[in-house]
Amino acid sequence: MNPLSRRGFLAASAAAFATAHLPRAVMAQAPAPLALSAATRTLDIDGRAATVFGLAGPGGQGLVLDPGQRFRVDLTNDLDVGTIIHWHGQLPPNAQDGVPDMPLPLLAPGETRYYDFEALPGTFWMHSHVPIQEMQLLAAPLIVRSPDDLTGDRQEVVLFLHDFSFKHPEEVLAEISDGHGGGHGAGPGMPRGDMSAMPGMDHSASGGMPMGNMAMGGMAMDLNDYDWDAYLVNDRTLSDPEVVQVERGGRIRLRVINAAAATVFWIETGTAQSRLVAVDGHAVQPISGSRFGLAMGQRLDLEIDLPNEGGAWPILALREGARERTGLVLATQGAEVRRISALADTEAPAFDTDLAQESRLFALDALPDRPVERSQVVVLGGSMQPYVWMIDGAVWGQHRPVAARSGERVVLSFHNMSMMGHPMHLHGHVFQIVGLNGRAVSGPRRDTVYVPPMSVIDIALDAGEAAHWMLHCHHMPHLATGMMTEFVVSA
């Protein structure tokens, strides 16, 4: 076991950095921007070397900003291929959002691009918006501290999740598309796929019979459509997990980020009881528990109060519908850290099929009340064979954009008519969950919402900058096969 340590990317960043877009005369009087590099790196994954991508900042993988610090970054592409980075959950100007050709092209090898915007506080992350590059681990934490983070008597720990294959992502996608990706369904011999074309299925907006999971109507959910070679926390597996040294009786702020390409996880804190205090970087009314789930692109902030006795507390991430798991260990100095199997005794359940977790979440920073000026249904569909995933019956390139005007209060109703869950991410906006299967709620603020099979979730938002913003599923194989559209905001 490695010595007790904290990972490099938890190191604090410098206090202030210069804007990239100010005139050069002004820039000459200010400190240099924070340097961030997209580059290759080598990991030891269960004794086997793996060359992957990464985002290296001054303290290691990722960035940490202090309260009030602007996001002022020089991003350099040190890869031999073009790339572009999206600041997931942040609200930059559209030109800095990091989507290929919307409006800026990929950064060429050796190119540097400058970014400057006001950063939202909370737990965020950054990743390539080229799906195969995210599958090559081109992603890292983006932590923006609040004043309370500096004054609070607690230790911050980041838990950054990946799924990983030694195969090239294009080979992985080909295997998934051909039906040879492995994975686990929810029942053998059961029909699967898109139900949007089945007779009697109602695509209208919420208000009729709630769809829910309908006991899945005899249908089987599709989970984990690929069996990955490894599941990582902070670039490591349970064969050699990170061991974070903690104090007896200390309080931990655990920032959990699901950067996996196609894996939903349950986070289990075991005997270290936790409180869920934020999702997607936004505070919620605290909920006590020892197991919470999150889909791809989502984040959880957990507060953990450790006992006054010494010891070791594994924090485990369980793959939904399967036995595989990964994690890290919180341990006091000198505590015995026992080996943990990468396979649990039993399979973890499917995540939130009945929206039980989402229904317990309530925002502390709810949207102000105002009339809804525009509503639209967004139908999520697709099938495993052929492996095609769509929004409103169309793949990217044939899509019909979702439209709004800047400043309008908009409600979007996601109707999932397929037998896979879809984490839906909207760029450039923070929204609030306001409806679960036809029931009005004052749910959390989010940027990525998980829509289980045969479910309806309503989100409310105030349309922002007049521009073309991406709206897509954050399951990378789904995105790669076309599950993406535009949220077009006009002036």
Side-chain angles (χ1 to χ4, degrees), residues 211-291:
M211 297 163 73
N213 65 10
M214 301 171 53
M216 297 306 165
M219 302 284 285
M221 290 180 63
D222 283 300
L223 304 176
N224 302 317
D225 49 8
Y226 193 74
D227 285 326
W228 302 86
D229 292 325
Y231 301 89
L232 311 178
V233 163
N234 301 348
D235 295 335
R236 298 161 78 161
T237 69
L238 281 176
S239 67
D240 181 26
E242 178 180 8
V243 180
V244 180
Q245 184 171 319
V246 296
E247 297 180 357
R248 299 170 183 240
R251 173 170 292 182
I252 307 298
R253 176 85 170 209
L254 183 68
R255 300 180 184 270
V256 184
I257 302 168
N258 189 352
T263 304
V264 177
F265 289 97
W266 292 98
I267 304 302
E268 285 193 347
T269 60
T271 59
Q273 285 289 312
S274 62
R275 294 178 299 280
L276 176 60
V277 296
V279 296
D280 292 0
H282 301 275
V284 296
Q285 294 181 20
I287 300 174
S288 296
S290 59
R291 176 188 276 189

Side-chain angles (χ1 to χ4, degrees), residues 383-394:
S383 63
M384 297 294 284
Q385 294 182 350
Y387 195 87
V388 179
W389 300 92
M390 302 168 289
I391 296 177
D392 291 332

Side-chain angles (χ1 to χ4, degrees), residues 381-417:
S383 63
M384 297 294 284
Q385 294 182 350
Y387 195 87
V388 179
W389 300 92
M390 302 168 289
I391 296 177
D392 291 332
V395 297
W396 177 254
Q398 304 170 16
H399 62 285
R400 297 182 296 276
V402 177
R405 288 188 178 276
S406 183
E408 283 185 329
R409 171 60 57 86
V410 179
V411 170
L412 302 180
S413 297
F414 292 116
H415 286 220
N416 186 359
M417 306 300 292

Side-chain angles (χ1 to χ4, degrees), residues 434-452:
V434 295
L436 299 174
N437 288 329
R439 178 173 62 89
V441 298
S442 181
R445 299 285 293 273
R446 285 193 175 277
D447 53 65
T448 308
V449 59
Y450 180 72
V451 188

Side-chain angles (χ1 to χ4, degrees), residues 84-163:
I84 196 164
I85 303 302
H86 169 58
W87 322 107
H88 188 116
Q90 290 290 328
L91 304 179
N94 182 259
Q96 301 183 46
D97 188 47
V99 176
D101 300 316
M102 289 185 63
L104 297 180
L106 298 177
L107 279 80
E111 182 182 356
T112 297
R113 190 169 292 170
Y114 305 97
Y115 297 84
D116 176 24
F117 57 85
E118 184 178 353
L120 294 178
T123 301
F124 299 91
W125 64 302
M126 46 195 174
H127 60 84
S128 172
H129 221 279
V130 180
I132 64 171
Q133 293 180 355
E134 186 179 328
M135 295 167 69
Q136 293 170 289
L137 312 195
L138 187 47
L142 172 57
I143 308 303
V144 184
R145 292 185 173 129
S146 68
D148 183 58
D149 292 326
L150 293 189
T151 59
D153 184 16
R154 58 183 178 240
Q155 179 179 351
E156 292 198 3
V157 177
V158 172
L159 191 158
F160 196 70
L161 288 156
H162 275 303
D163 42 24

